[in-house]
Amino acid sequence: GEPVEDAAQVISRMSDVVMIRTFEQTIIERFAANSRVPVINGLTNEFHPCQILTDVFTWIEHRGCIQGKTVAWIGDTNNMCNTWLQAAELLDFKVNVSSPKGYEVDLEIANISGNSHFEQFSDPMEAARGAHIITTDVWTSMGFEAENEIRMRDFKDFQVDADMMCVADKDAVFMHCLPAHRGEEVTAEVIDGPQSVVWDEAENRLHAQKALLEFLLLGQLAS
Ligand code: NVA
């Protein structure tokens, strides 16, 4: 029952960094506004920046620079999708988003300008064509469980499968932030196949977040 603002005052006097996983983004923003220490977004309904830091790092580790590349986001325009869109504007790559009618990207929620770094497609195969990263996420994110049944119907044509991987760039990788639902947003053949880098992504959360802590605590990047 304590106001978030008060919790921030207390907790930030007892710690060096705070990481919060919660629902509305405004909760983190209210906490951060009253915190004496850095506050990391560990996932909200709207954004998932630690995972995108990790995914960009995983791409760099496997293939090099991400500038000028194309990411195909297939499925729900959720926290992961919004954060890919923000990263594209910061790091100068493109995101092709394909989602069912009624689930298109909301530029205001994504907090992006919606310029040449983003394109919306109704046909997922067109979004995937020539892309360097094919990525997706669960059809029902945390906090949206009440919509599960209707989402299973709405998203059934938005599954990443082998045919989709075939139209992507020949060196494309498949990414998923996990946990995954094989047979829903991705087939087992793709997530367990040779183009999948999901286990590297999982491990890299550790390394990316260690780097983030170092950056926040030391205020500089290690040379
Ligand atoms: N979009 C998913 C990500 C899980 C790490 C969710 O918010 O549930």
Side-chain angles (χ1 to χ4, degrees):
E2 184 176 53
V4 171
E5 289 76 6
D6 293 1
Q9 292 285 357
V10 174
I11 291 168
S12 70
R13 282 170 187 246
M14 298 176 180
S15 49
D16 297 306
V17 179
V18 178
M19 182 166 180
I20 303 176
R21 173 169 283 203
T22 184
F23 295 100
E24 294 84 20
Q25 174 71 16
T26 50
I27 296 175
I28 285 205
E29 288 173 7
R30 284 166 55 204
F31 191 104
N34 290 277
S35 171
R36 299 180 7 160
V37 298
V39 178
I40 300 172
N41 181 344
L43 180 146
T44 60
N45 288 344
E46 291 88 350
F47 302 111
H48 196 4
C50 287
Q51 185 66 49
I52 301 303
L53 266 183
T54 301
D55 291 355
V56 170
F57 171 51
T58 304
W59 169 264
I60 292 169
E61 209 177 39
H62 279 269
R63 300 278 189 270
C65 183
I66 199 163
Q67 186 177 26
K69 298 290 188 275
T70 300
V71 175
W73 177 269
I74 311 297
D76 191 18
T77 52
N78 60 13
N79 42 12
M80 284 289 298
C81 177
N82 288 337
T83 315
W84 268 118
L85 291 166
Q86 293 191 334
E89 292 195 345
L90 279 172
L91 301 175
D92 190 24
F93 59 91
K94 190 180 169 214
V95 183
N96 291 344
V97 176
S98 186
S99 49
K101 207 168 162 14
Y103 293 89
E104 291 87 356
V105 170
D106 183 325
L107 295 182
E108 207 174 313
I109 293 176
N111 197 14
I112 55 164
S113 64
N115 55 20
S116 57
H117 295 94
F118 156 61
E119 195 173 342
Q120 178 85 45
F121 293 77
S122 50
D123 180 353
M125 292 298 264
E126 285 315 306
R129 198 170 297 285
H132 303 94
I133 297 174
I134 306 290
T135 186
T136 186
D137 189 8
V138 290
W139 291 339
T140 306
S141 283
M142 288 177 245
F144 295 82
E145 290 81 1
E147 299 172 15
N148 193 49
E149 207 174 310
I150 188 159
R151 281 170 168 269
M152 289 302 122
R153 276 204 307 276
D154 291 348
F155 285 89
K156 68 178 176 10
D157 297 328
F158 290 78
Q159 182 186 66
V160 177
D161 60 12
D163 289 344
M164 198 177 284
M165 294 307 293
C166 276
V167 301
D169 184 78
K170 70 174 179 22
D171 292 322
V173 297
F174 171 75
M175 291 191 180
H176 193 305
C177 62
L178 306 177
H181 295 169
R182 288 171 178 75
E184 291 180 16
E185 73 274 7
V186 61
T187 60
E189 187 182 7
V190 170
I191 194 169
D192 299 320
Q195 287 168 284
S196 173
V197 294
V198 299
W199 310 128
D200 288 342
E201 281 178 87
E203 178 185 334
N204 282 341
R205 278 288 289 281
L206 176 67
H207 306 309
Q209 289 174 186
K210 283 190 300 187
L212 179 59
L213 284 174
E214 183 180 48
F215 175 71
L216 292 172
L217 290 171
L218 301 181
Q220 60 188 21
L221 289 170
S223 56

